[in-house]
Every structure is written in C-alpha cells, then in structure tokens.
C-alpha cells in the first residue's frame, strides 16, 4: 500500500485522478490514515458539504494480507452530523481489495461544478472516472446489480444510495459483501452525504491480477496468524456465541440488566425483547433458510462469522442478519417486536444508504413527537419510505434525531455532538456514558472497546468494582480502540485479546512480521494516543468544547426504570478522560 | 412459597429438540428451592452443575436484573429471578461479565453485598440465554421445571412437525397421551402451575 489516489472534483471533465506516493502518511492505515489526512488537510471550520472537506477511504494496515479478520475499511471526513472529525468503519470486501490494488487511501476532494454523477473504476491498470447520470437515485441493491452486469461478479462496490445523493446527514456508505450485496455500511456521522457532495455515486474495485500483500517476514507472519486464529477459535465469544447468534445475542442480556433503551430511552426494559432476541432471530433464520443461515462472514478472512442471512416468510433473501444495534433501533426503541418488520427496515436502510442507529433513534423521536405511534411498524416503514423518496418529511428525518427533535419540538433527544446514542442506556451502564460523552466521534459504542489486555494497562491499575475506575478505563479503551481501528481488524477480536495475552501478542507479532518492525504494547498504545490527539485537536479547532463532551441533561435528572438510576458521572470527571 | 401444582406433564423425545423449548427457557421457568442459598450453592448443590461449568460457561449472571460479581455472597430466595448467560461480545458484553475488569462501568446497577439467608422453601425463576439454553436446558428440563399452564399451551402450539415426530411419549397426570395431539392437550387455565419434565433419549 504505497500510493494514495486523489480524485479532485471541480469544473474539469472528467474529474482529475492523481496517484502519488504515500509520503508523510507512510505506515498508516485505517483510522490512523483517515484522521491524519483530515486533521492535516481539512480546515476544521469548513462546511462539511463544501469543497474544502475531504472524504478519505482507507484500508487497515493488515488489510489485503492473509491475516484473519483484517477486512475493515475506514472512511473519514468532517462530519455533517457532528461538525467534528469522523471515522466510520465497514466490513465487506472493499478493504481487502483496495489494499491489494496497492492503495493506502482514496481521497475525494473539491466540489463538482454541476450535479453530474460519477462512477470511479479502479483495477490493476489504473483509474477511470465516467459520468453516469443513469445511476441517479438508484437504491444500492439496484445499483450493484447494474454495476455487476458491467464489471462482472468479482467487482467490489463502494456506493451511496439516494440518501447520500440528497446529502442527508444520516447517509451511509455501502460496501458489498462476499455475495456482492450492499449489506455492510460505514454508517455513522453522515459520511454518505460527503460522498454525495463530491458527486461520486460509486467506486468499483477489481483486483484481478493482483496478489495478496506479502509480509516482510513470511514465516513469522504465518506463525503469528496461526496463533491469532487459534485464540479466536478457542474463545467462547468469538468461537461460539457470535457465530451462533450474532451481535443480537445482546438483546436478552441488556434487557435483563435494565439497560435496553426502550420507547425513546424512557425505560430500560422492553416487554417484547424475547421476540426479537438473538436466540429467536437465529432460530428463525435457520428455520427459513436452512441450518447454518445464522452464521456468515462479512469479508473473506473472517473466521468469527457473526453475521447471518435473513429470509422472508417465503424463503427469499431479504437482508443480512440485522445487527443488535439495528434490531434495537427499529425494535425496542420504537416498541416494535416484529422481526420481519425490523428486517425489512434493515433492508431499506441498506438500500437507501442510511445509518440504522441514527434512523431508528430518529423514528423514536418522531414517535415521541406524535408523528406516528410507538409500536406502529407499518407507519415506521412508511416514514423510511419518505426518507428514501426525499419528501420534505423524509428530508427532515434523514438528517437525524437532533434535527428531527428540533423541528418537532421534542425535548428528549438522545444525542451527543448531534449523533444518536446506540443501544445501551448510559444510566444503567455509566461507563459507556463516559465514552458516549467524551469520544471524538459523538455518541459511539465502538469508540471505547474492550480490546487491550493488562499489557496495555486496561484494568491493570483499577479496581473493577470502584466507580472511579470508569474514567481511566474509558480513556484506555478509547486509546486501544483507535489503535485497532488502524489495523483493519474487526473489533470482535476484543474478547480474545482481553482474556488471552498470547492472542494479543499474536496481533502485535502480525504487525511486526508484515512490516519488519519490533513494536511493543507501548508502541500500540502510542499509536492509539496519536490518533486521538489528532482528532481532539481537530475538534477543538472546529469549535467543539468541553460543553460538547456531555450527555443531554435529562440523563442526569430522569431516572431509568427498573433500577431507577441516573447518569451520575461528574463534569469534572468527564473533562479528565483525556488527561495523559 | 411453593405453589400448588395443577398438572404433571412428561414428554419424551428421541432426539434433542431443544429449539422447541427456547421461548420457555429464555423467558423463564421455576424450580423449587428448599430455602435461600448462595448462587454457587444453588448451581452446584441443587442444580447439579460442576464447579468448572459454573466458572467457565456461565460468565454473565443477573439476580433480579442486577449483574452479579460474587457468587458466594449473592443469595437467592423465594420469588427471585436468576438469569444466566455465556460470555457476551462487545464493550457492554465485557461490562456485564461476572467479576470482569469493566464491572465498574455498571456499578449503579450491580448486585451489592450480602442478603440474609432465609430457610423458607419457595420457588426461583431461572432464565437461560444464548449458548446456555442448549447446554443447560436439557438438564433443567430433565430434572423438572414449574411453568404456567399458559406458557405450556403456547409452547405446545408452536411445536413443529419434526418436533412432534421426535416425541416418543407423553403423559399428563400419568395418563398416556397421543404425542401427535399435544397441541390439543386439556391443561388447566392461565397461571396455574404445571410441572413439566422432558427426557431426551440421545
């Protein structure tokens, strides 16, 4: 990955594509790359949809190699939703293929002079950019079918749906999976809107003729990968629970804990949770699609296979197995306990190119506003159709929960830095509230992940039962997560790394063997810190202050049933998270 | 207080048709307990799980909705609800883990301290989640569980053709019943308690 592709949108036809050496960005990948470029090259006060913003698409440091789990793609920009820096992350095939084509990043720059829509095609022979207005407003599924017919069944597509073309702040960027379906999304923060503002509908990748990226030390790499894979397979979470039930395995547990945000975050338990649990979902998928339908990997090299395939009542493919966040957002948060309705909304989100978390939270706010009733699945589906069609109401909803709440006069809007909270109530899980509040990304459940072992000091100096531990833990987890986001690794390697020091060491050995380095755990920590430093500095210059590192006030005043708890972490403590 | 049992239903299956019992096992069933005891005593001494199973397989435990970190000091008694789960993914999965490094993240809802043991017999509600449904469900069903008649009726109504074909025997209050007609069983009404025992002849 020794080159960067820059595509400059302007009045020039076709847009100019320049390939340059990585230069100062050498050795970076994933979130390290996106945050470095955005913090260095994007004026923090620019308009997110304007010419000065950039969209950076970067594979991880280990993407394109034979390392297991290395297929995550990072997408970065100034976010139209939060106004701060954004890195959104997707599975699917693009990261592996882009890395094998030799690109450390694609950078979309400038602004087109008119509303011409472009397709970018990249293979081993180079880059072609063509005007393709016949793709306008196509949903991602029809779009991919059309592109497959032209480019064949090996092509990988990165695309936006009509939501991105209309520059809605909840718009995602889709990435095709191993079956060439647009089911994996860089969802959060409106990255799809920025791609839409650049006039790019789709980026098609074909790595035919390219080989896997070769490690500097093949023997050490092979040995490290073997240990890494063994660690993942032997762990009960990555080796059994996730393949059997997927992420939605969390529904019963969160509900039991009283931390399952229900009815727009007004209580912590949903009476219909069992009907939409991971256990029920897996059973339904296996019944309709045959045994094994509840187990599926989103990219080649994935051995955890936490995803699955959802078929409708007639046995036809409907969507990929909805994730926990999606089932919650369109389910319990809206008082809907119908898996078929939720799966349909998941499909619609994928097709229109929308963040499922933001859309579910937005529909919850719309229900609170009385636009439709809580529990009305059909009405929720119709609201999504409005977003897909770009009606005036649809445009409001498609810009997220904060905008919708403001327009309809709703007080209780669960957002931080303008981004909707995911599926864990911060009053029940106060530590995640610390991460929601302080993360550079806005309310984000993946920003402070349980990745590092005691080698990185996670939990090493903290009594796990003492409340004071939350600040230090959140800090260390955010550092560790930022580092992992740079590698292209899926965050579900977290549990094995946490529990098994030898598996964490295998990850460090993989990086060392790939690049001929001698990194230690401290170096991995330093990487994470440098990423967060870039992001914090950008956000500060963009006008985000300590006052933005807060949860909405009502989380500190309104008690959450069944435990009747409020968010009680003090502002001074939140302000100390990044003191290192 | 141990409720009166209105009916005794016994089912035999020639294969492990555990999916048929998923809703019942995850939504909760009851077992009688002789008096309050620690969670460890309950699981090992009363339910018959090994110490290793308790340590390695049950990694997330809730007592009346509160995550439990200490199985010796957390006491269950009449009317309590115990939910058991395998290790969960993600940050919040790690947070809910029994005795996990991230337990402080949920300190406001964690089960705290001791409860006095009370020697009165009663019933305990148990919920099994995810991997534990298949791993421990047969054990509890084989020992016999107490479930409301309404729950039994709902469960029987959802039995598939394959489930019914695998059912080799059924008795209700010791009267032999036709397994093919399980969904039409004449059970007591609503919240009346039924003792259900299921044997899987593997």
């Amino acid at each position: 990955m020794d080159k960067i592709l820059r595509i400059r949108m302007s009045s020039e036809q076709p847009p100019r594509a320049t390939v340059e050496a990585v230069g100062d960005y050498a050795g970076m990948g994933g979130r390290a790359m996106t945050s470095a470029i955005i913090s260095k090259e994007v004026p923090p006060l620019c308009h997110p949809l304007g010419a000065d913003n950039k969209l950076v698409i970067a594979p991880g440091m280990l993407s394109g190699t034979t390392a297991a789990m290395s297929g995550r793609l990072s997408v970065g920009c100034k976010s139209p939703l939060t106004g701060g820096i954004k890195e959104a992350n997707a599975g699917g095939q693009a990261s592996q293929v882009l890395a094998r084509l030799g690109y450390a990043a694609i950078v979309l720059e400038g602004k087109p002079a008119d509303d011409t829509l472009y397709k970018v095609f990249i293979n081993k022979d180079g880059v072609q950019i063509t005007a393709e207005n016949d793709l306008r407003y196509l949903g991602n599924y029809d779009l991919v079918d059309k592109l497959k017919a032209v480019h064949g069944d090996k092509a990988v597509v990165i695309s936006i749906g009509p939501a991105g073309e209309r520059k809605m702040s909840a718009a995602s960027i889709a990435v095709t999976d191993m079956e060439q379906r647009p089911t994996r999304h860089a969802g959060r923060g409106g990255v799809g809107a920025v791609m839409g503002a650049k006039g790019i509908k789709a980026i098609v990748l074909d790595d035919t003729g390219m080989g896997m990226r070769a490690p500097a030390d093949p023997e050490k790499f092979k040995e490290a990968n073997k240990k890494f894979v063994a660690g993942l397979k032997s762990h009960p979470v990555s080796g059994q629970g996730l393949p059997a039930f997927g992420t939605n395995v969390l529904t019963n547990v969160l509900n039991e804990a009283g931390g399952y945000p229900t009815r727009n975050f007004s209580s912590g338990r949903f009476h219909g949770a069992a009907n939409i649990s991971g256990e029920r979902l897996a059973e339904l998928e296996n019944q309709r699609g045959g045994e094994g339908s509840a187990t599926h990997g989103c990219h080649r090299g994935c051995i955890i296979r936490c995803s699955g395939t959802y078929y409708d009542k007639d046995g036809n493919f409907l969507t990929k197995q909805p994730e926990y966040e999606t089932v919650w957002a369109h389910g319990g948060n809206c008082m809907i306990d119908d898996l078929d309705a939720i799966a349909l909304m998941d499909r619609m989100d994928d097709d229109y190119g929308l963040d499922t978390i933001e859309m579910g939270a937005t529909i919850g706010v719309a229900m609170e506003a009385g636009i439709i009733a809580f529990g009305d699945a059909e009405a929720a589906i119709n609201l999504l159709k409005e977003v897909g069609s770009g009606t005036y109401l649809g445009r409001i909803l498609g810009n997220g929960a904060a905008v919708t709440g403001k327009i309809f006069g709703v007080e209780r809007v669960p957002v931080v830095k303008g981004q909707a909270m995911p599926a864990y109530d911060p009053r029940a899980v106060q530590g995640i509230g610390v991460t929601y509040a302080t993360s550079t990304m806005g309310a984000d459940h993946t920003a402070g992940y349980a990745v590092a072992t005691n080698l990185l000091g996670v939990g090493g100096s903290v009594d796990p039962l003492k409340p004071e531990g939350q600040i230090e833990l959140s800090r260390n987890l955010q550092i560790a997560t930022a580092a992992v986001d740079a590698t292209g690794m899926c965050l579900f390697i977290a549990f094995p790394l946490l529990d098994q020091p030898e598996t964490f060491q295998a990850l460090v050995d993989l990086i060392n063997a790939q690049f001929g380095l001698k990194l230690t755990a401290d170096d991995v920590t330093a990487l994470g810190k440098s990423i967060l430093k870039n992001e914090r500095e950008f956000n500060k210059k963009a006008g985000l202050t300590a006052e933005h590192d807060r949860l909405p006030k009502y989380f500190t005043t309104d008690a959450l049933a069944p435990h009747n708890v409020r968010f009680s972490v003090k502002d001074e403590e939140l302000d100390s998270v990044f003191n290192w | 207080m141990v409720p009166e049992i209105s009916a005794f239903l016994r089912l035999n299956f020639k294969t492990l048709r555990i999916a048929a019992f998923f809703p019942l096992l995850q939504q909760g069933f009851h077992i009688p307990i002789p008096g309050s005891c620690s969670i460890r005593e309950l699981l090992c001494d009363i339910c018959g799980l090994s110490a290793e199973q308790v340590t390695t397989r049950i990694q997330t435990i809730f007592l009346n909705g509160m995550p439990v970190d200490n199985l010796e000091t957390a006491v269950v008694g009449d009317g309590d609800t115990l939910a058991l789960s395998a290790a969960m993914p993600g940050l919040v999965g790690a947070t809910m883990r029994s005795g996990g490094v991230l337990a402080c993240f949920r300190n406001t809802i964690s089960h705290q301290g001791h409860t006095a043991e009370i020697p009165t017999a009663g019933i305990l509600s148990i919920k099994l989640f995810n991997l534990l449904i298949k791993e421990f469900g047969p054990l509890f069903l084989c020992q016999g569980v107490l479930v409301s008649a309404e729950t039994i009726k709902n469960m029987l109504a959802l039995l598939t053709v394959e489930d019914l074909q695998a059912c080799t025997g059924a008795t209700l209050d010791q009267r032999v019943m036709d397994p093919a007609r399980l969904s039409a069983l004449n059970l007591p009404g609503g919240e009346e308690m039924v003792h259900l025992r299921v044997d899987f002849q593997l």
Side-chain angles (χ1 to χ4, degrees):
Chain A
M1 296 197 305
D2 56 0
K3 54 194 183 191
I4 290 177
L5 168 64
R6 289 184 186 267
I7 297 176
R8 179 129 205 106
M9 310 304 292
S10 63
S11 55
E12 205 174 318
Q13 296 278 359
R16 184 186 311 183
T18 314
V19 177
E20 60 189 40
V22 285
D24 290 342
Y25 301 116
M28 294 188 196
R31 183 174 167 185
M33 177 68 82
T34 63
S35 291
I37 293 178
I38 298 300
S39 61
K40 188 173 173 187
E41 299 182 19
V42 172
L45 292 173
C46 75
H47 194 293
L49 303 177
D52 288 337
N53 197 7
K54 302 192 184 192
L55 189 80
V56 184
I57 300 170
M61 289 157 62
L62 290 171
S63 296
T65 69
T66 54
M69 309 307 301
S70 58
R72 301 295 297 190
L73 184 77
S74 290
V75 179
C77 60
K78 176 173 174 173
S79 164
L81 189 67
T82 69
I85 198 164
K86 173 57 60 182
E87 183 261 1
N89 204 282
Q93 287 292 91
S95 196
Q96 308 282 35
V97 170
L98 189 58
R100 286 197 287 269
L101 284 165
Y103 293 98
I106 299 173
V107 184
L108 306 182
E109 308 174 320
K111 189 170 176 162
D114 56 31
D115 67 351
T116 303
L117 215 49
Y118 292 94
K119 176 190 79 178
V120 178
F121 174 66
I122 307 171
N123 66 359
K124 68 174 175 49
D125 300 322
V127 182
Q128 288 170 36
I129 304 175
T130 49
E132 306 268 347
N133 286 325
D134 59 323
L135 303 179
R136 193 178 302 282
Y137 298 141
L138 283 182
N140 281 313
Y141 273 91
D142 283 346
L143 170 70
V144 168
D145 280 344
K146 224 171 162 162
L147 294 171
K148 251 165 51 177
V150 174
H151 296 288
D153 57 13
K154 273 208 66 183
V156 172
V157 180
I158 300 170
S159 64
I160 54 173
E165 289 184 59
R166 295 190 172 101
K167 307 186 199 76
M168 296 181 182
S169 294
S172 63
I173 292 177
V175 176
T176 47
D177 60 19
M178 287 192 283
E179 285 77 26
Q180 269 189 320
R181 293 170 177 149
T183 60
R184 317 315 310 190
H185 287 248
R188 311 239 60 200
V191 295
V194 178
M195 188 160 162
K198 300 300 178 202
I200 306 280
K201 176 70 173 173
I203 301 172
V204 183
L205 310 171
D206 187 341
D207 67 342
T208 304
M210 304 299 293
M212 303 296 267
R213 288 174 62 211
D217 188 331
E219 281 310 307
K220 283 200 171 131
F221 188 91
K222 195 171 160 188
E223 186 58 32
N225 199 33
K226 199 170 153 192
K227 283 186 183 152
F228 186 61
V229 167
L232 297 181
K233 283 189 170 166
S234 65
H235 197 280
V237 174
S238 49
Q240 297 169 38
L242 279 173
F245 299 106
T247 58
N248 196 28
V249 73
L250 285 166
T251 291
N252 271 333
V253 167
L254 259 303
N255 198 57
E256 190 65 26
Y260 187 78
T262 301
R263 200 186 173 96
N264 189 35
F265 284 79
S266 62
S267 89
R269 263 217 193 124
F270 178 46
H271 66 270
N275 296 335
I276 57 175
S277 66
E279 292 88 335
R280 174 70 189 130
L281 178 59
E283 187 197 337
L284 193 62
E285 287 174 350
N286 285 330
Q287 263 176 25
R288 289 181 177 176
E291 205 58 38
S293 296
T295 303
H296 181 267
C298 78
H299 67 271
R300 249 174 220 103
C302 169
I303 60 165
I304 294 179
R305 296 172 305 145
C306 73
S307 190
T309 311
Y310 194 98
Y311 298 89
D312 67 18
K313 290 187 174 69
D314 302 317
N316 301 313
F317 170 82
L318 180 59
T319 189
K320 89 281 188 187
Q321 177 175 279
E323 303 293 345
Y324 168 64
E325 307 293 335
T326 304
V327 175
W328 159 77
H330 286 308
N333 191 49
C334 297
M335 301 287 284
I336 292 169
D337 69 347
D338 178 347
L339 275 174
D340 282 330
I342 292 167
L344 177 59
M345 285 189 271
D346 180 72
R347 160 91 184 212
M348 292 167 78
D349 287 333
D350 283 354
D351 201 27
Y352 300 148
L354 291 163
D355 173 13
T356 60
I357 295 174
E358 195 69 42
M359 285 323 301
T362 300
I363 292 173
V365 169
M367 287 170 167
E368 180 117 353
I371 297 171
I372 62 173
F374 277 103
D376 191 340
E378 195 179 330
I381 289 166
N382 287 334
L383 285 187
L384 267 183
K385 284 181 182 166
E386 297 230 22
V387 180
S389 306
T391 64
Y392 289 138
L393 176 58
R395 282 184 176 275
I396 293 170
L397 299 169
N399 278 285
V403 163
T404 300
K406 192 162 182 83
I407 287 174
F408 290 103
V410 176
E411 180 193 348
R412 295 158 38 82
V413 179
V415 300
V416 177
K417 298 181 181 73
Q419 180 166 289
M421 284 182 191
Y424 320 90
D425 198 297
R427 288 165 287 190
V429 191
Q430 309 252 323
I432 205 167
V434 172
T435 302
Y436 282 173
T438 61
S439 163
T440 51
M441 299 289 147
D444 189 313
H445 66 293
T446 60
Y449 233 66
V451 173
T453 66
N454 288 338
L455 293 173
L456 288 187
V458 174
S461 57
V462 170
D463 181 338
L465 296 179
K466 282 216 166 73
E468 303 83 79
Q470 294 178 67
I471 299 301
E472 189 174 335
L473 276 174
S474 178
R475 175 195 308 137
N476 288 343
L477 291 171
Q478 290 191 55
I479 292 169
T481 305
V484 169
D485 283 342
T487 62
M489 285 284 174
C490 171
L491 277 182
F492 286 139
I493 63 175
F495 241 116
L497 294 196
L498 185 71
D499 279 346
Q500 298 162 180
E502 66 277 13
T503 310
F504 171 71
Q505 187 58 49
L507 174 62
V508 178
D509 290 344
L510 272 171
I511 300 171
N512 286 338
Q514 177 65 24
F515 297 101
L517 301 172
K518 287 184 168 54
L519 293 181
T520 63
D522 283 345
D523 295 317
V524 176
T525 308
L527 171 63
K529 283 182 177 174
S530 76
I531 294 170
L532 287 174
K533 184 167 168 292
N534 282 341
E535 292 172 356
R536 293 270 298 171
E537 279 173 7
F538 182 93
N539 280 357
K540 194 172 167 186
K541 291 174 191 166
L544 295 175
T545 66
E547 290 315 301
H548 294 91
D549 285 350
R550 302 286 183 263
L551 299 187
K553 192 75 183 155
Y554 69 92
F555 283 92
T556 64
T557 56
D558 295 5
L560 180 77
H563 298 296
N564 295 324
V565 285
R566 297 170 181 79
F567 186 71
S568 56
V569 179
K570 297 184 177 47
D571 290 350
E572 325 56 283
E573 291 175 290
L574 294 176
D575 291 339
S576 71
V577 169
F578 290 100
N579 294 350
W580 62 60
Chain B
M1 197 175 74
V2 182
E4 193 178 322
I5 298 172
S6 299
F8 289 81
L9 176 64
R10 186 164 174 172
L11 303 173
N12 293 305
F13 287 87
K14 62 183 176 190
T15 53
L16 185 61
R17 305 298 304 179
I18 198 66
F21 301 93
F22 261 38
L24 182 160
L25 293 169
Q26 67 175 313
Q27 286 170 40
F29 54 91
H30 308 285
I31 62 169
I33 51 173
S36 57
C37 58
S38 73
I39 291 180
R40 190 172 299 283
E41 283 169 338
L42 170 83
L43 293 175
C44 294
D45 301 341
I46 295 177
C47 299
L49 299 179
S50 71
E52 197 202 342
Q53 281 176 313
V54 171
T55 307
T56 62
R57 302 308 294 161
I58 305 174
Q59 303 223 327
T60 307
I61 300 172
F62 296 96
L63 176 55
N64 301 327
M66 294 178 281
V68 170
D69 294 299
N70 190 327
L71 274 63
E72 321 296 342
T73 58
V75 168
V76 295
D78 181 37
D80 285 338
T81 298
L82 187 69
L84 307 174
S85 165
M88 287 287 96
L91 174 62
V92 176
T95 299
M96 295 299 172
R97 195 177 188 189
S98 186
V101 293
L102 301 179
C104 65
F105 270 22
R106 39 88 172 159
N107 60 314
T108 55
I109 61 168
S110 299
H111 186 268
Q112 307 284 350
H114 297 249
T115 313
E117 295 195 16
I118 302 168
T120 312
I123 60 167
L124 174 74
S125 177
I126 295 182
K127 298 178 186 178
L128 298 178
F129 296 150
N130 49 71
L131 295 174
L132 301 189
I133 297 177
K134 218 171 184 173
E135 285 183 33
F136 299 140
L139 172 78
F140 284 103
L141 290 170
C142 180
Q143 289 174 355
V145 298
L146 300 176
V147 191
S148 73
E150 187 66 32
T151 303
I152 296 275
K153 282 178 191 166
N154 291 338
M155 186 264 298
L156 293 176
L158 291 173
L159 291 178
T160 63
V161 167
E162 291 79 13
D163 294 330
L164 293 172
Q165 285 171 350
C167 184
T168 56
T171 62
L172 180 63
D173 296 329
Q174 297 187 319
R175 286 173 286 121
V176 174
M177 314 303 288
D178 179 3
R181 295 175 56 76
L182 278 175
S183 57
L185 272 187
N186 188 18
L187 287 168
E191 291 309 304
E192 304 263 351
M193 207 55 79
V194 175
H195 184 279
L196 169 70
R197 183 175 151 180
V198 183
D199 291 307
F200 299 100
Q201 286 147 349
L202 302 174

